[in-house]
Amino acid sequence: MNAELPLANRDAAHLPGHWLLARLGKRVLRPGGVELTQAMLGGADIEGADVVELAPGLGHTAAEILTARPKSYMGVEHDESAATIVRDRVGERGSCVVGEAAQTGLPDASADLVIGEAMLTMQTDRSKAAIIAEAARVLRPGGRYAIHELALQPDTLDEALKKDVQQSLARAIKVNARPMTVEEWRDLLVVGGFTIAETNTAPMALLQPRRLLADEGLLGTLRFAKNLLRDHDARKRVLDMRKTFVKYDKEMVAVSFVAIKA
Ligand SMILES: C[S@@+](CC[C@H](N)C(=O)[O-])C[C@H]1O[C@@H](n2cnc3c(N)ncnc32)[C@H](O)[C@@H]1O
């Protein structure tokens, strides 16, 4: 990858968790990993579809989408460096604009499938609703909205514990993460005008060795480990993130939905 990573000049102590992991060589930046992505994409009916991906990050899922032969691919990513990386990655088979997921500038009813992973969790309640409304606007009737996000469990999780997880997570990853229960995610999509066609869950195992191997491969995992050993500040951050993930392992789960625009 030749293009510069997002926030390349920011020190490790203050970098949002996903860009810190990217700096260390991680390419899959979502809670359920490639396996949950594949389950979600499998139910999203990509072939022949006009696809819009919100917040493609480093373009890993973009590449997966392209192998399933969509009619078109358009990414909308608000980080300029990430958008450049995605553009390099999709080449002539798609494009990626720098933009806001809640205001893509795309025409009404111009897509069959909108995809967004690990991007709603980091929005406020109002922004979550605005992005879902934008997905509904851009989709044709009957179009699909596929998301992959972080959830809390069980649905009856005590409110105080929920706040505790959200605050600890936000502190560790330095992103204002606001995961919700699976039921709350579902309700948000339904209120936004969607019916739920498919739900899948996977353990939130972003930093567990088995998941690292599955997501990054052996070489990628070794590169990540080597970079971690070489960078004291980054290692401290990653260990802190991992500690939080382990502490709330029971309360966190990755969830994906395929929802249909009514
Ligand atoms: C955790 S990363 C996930 C990247 C990628 N979807 C993945 O799963 O590997 C979050 C991404 O969302 C992008 N992002 C966050 N808020 C956004 C918004 N409002 N509009 C567009 N992109 C956004 C960030 O720049 C970043 O690329």
Side-chain angles (χ1 to χ4, degrees):
M1 195 177 293
N2 298 320
E4 197 163 70
L5 283 171
L7 303 182
N9 297 323
R10 185 157 321 165
D11 62 295
H14 299 99
L15 206 55
H18 49 288
W19 296 141
L20 176 76
L21 296 177
R23 183 179 291 177
L24 292 167
K26 191 153 175 33
R27 296 291 170 257
V28 176
L29 306 173
R30 59 207 98 112
V34 168
E35 203 179 323
L36 191 61
T37 295
Q38 279 167 350
M40 177 190 79
L41 295 182
D45 214 358
I46 298 172
E47 193 171 347
D50 287 314
V51 179
V52 173
E53 185 180 9
L54 304 176
L58 303 178
H60 209 291
T61 294
E64 296 259 337
I65 292 168
L66 288 174
T67 62
R69 299 153 46 101
K71 184 169 162 209
S72 66
Y73 172 90
M74 164 71 78
V76 181
E77 165 59 60
H78 80 174
D79 185 279
E80 224 172 308
S81 306
T84 305
I85 291 169
V86 175
R87 248 178 254 130
D88 281 355
R89 186 136 199 185
V90 301
E92 286 175 359
R93 296 194 296 156
S95 52
C96 183
V97 293
V98 177
E100 270 299 314
Q103 236 177 331
T104 60
L106 298 172
D108 290 358
S110 56
D112 303 301
L113 172 60
V114 174
I115 293 173
E117 295 182 286
M119 59 82 64
L120 285 176
T121 302
M122 63 173 68
Q123 318 290 332
T124 62
D125 289 352
R126 188 189 288 202
S127 294
K128 283 184 177 81
I131 291 170
I132 292 172
E134 179 68 353
R137 184 188 70 74
V138 162
L139 280 169
R140 301 183 174 114
R144 283 115 26 231
Y145 182 30
I147 68 169
H148 169 173
E149 296 291 341
L150 183 61
L152 298 175
Q153 61 183 9
D155 287 333
T156 53
L157 188 68
D158 175 70
E159 280 301 318
L161 183 51
K162 188 190 283 184
K163 270 224 156 58
D164 195 24
V165 184
Q166 289 175 335
Q167 283 171 359
S168 304
L169 196 62
R171 253 196 312 273
I173 66 175
K174 305 213 180 295
V175 171
N176 205 2
R178 292 157 193 243
M180 310 188 300
T181 65
V182 173
E183 188 172 73
E184 286 168 340
W185 278 118
R186 195 177 291 130
D187 288 349
L188 204 63
L189 290 166
V190 169
V191 168
F194 290 92
T195 56
I196 308 294
E198 221 177 276
T199 307
N200 286 294
T201 59
M204 157 54 183
L206 194 65
L207 292 176
Q208 285 180 15
R210 199 188 308 169
R211 174 68 66 71
L212 276 167
L213 271 172
D215 283 356
E216 312 297 333
L218 182 58
L219 283 182
T221 303
L222 290 175
R223 181 184 53 205
F224 180 75
K226 191 177 91 188
N227 289 337
L228 205 57
L229 286 173
R230 281 206 302 221
D231 185 335
H232 172 267
D233 291 350
R235 189 166 65 245
K236 195 163 167 296
R237 281 282 317 277
V238 170
L239 289 176
D240 195 40
M241 282 162 63
R242 193 173 140 71
K243 205 165 106 193
T244 308
F245 297 165
V246 169
K247 180 170 178 192
Y248 296 111
D249 181 49
K250 234 172 36 154
E251 285 78 24
M252 291 199 289
V253 65
V255 67
S256 74
F257 297 98
V258 177
I260 313 288
K261 180 179 167 174

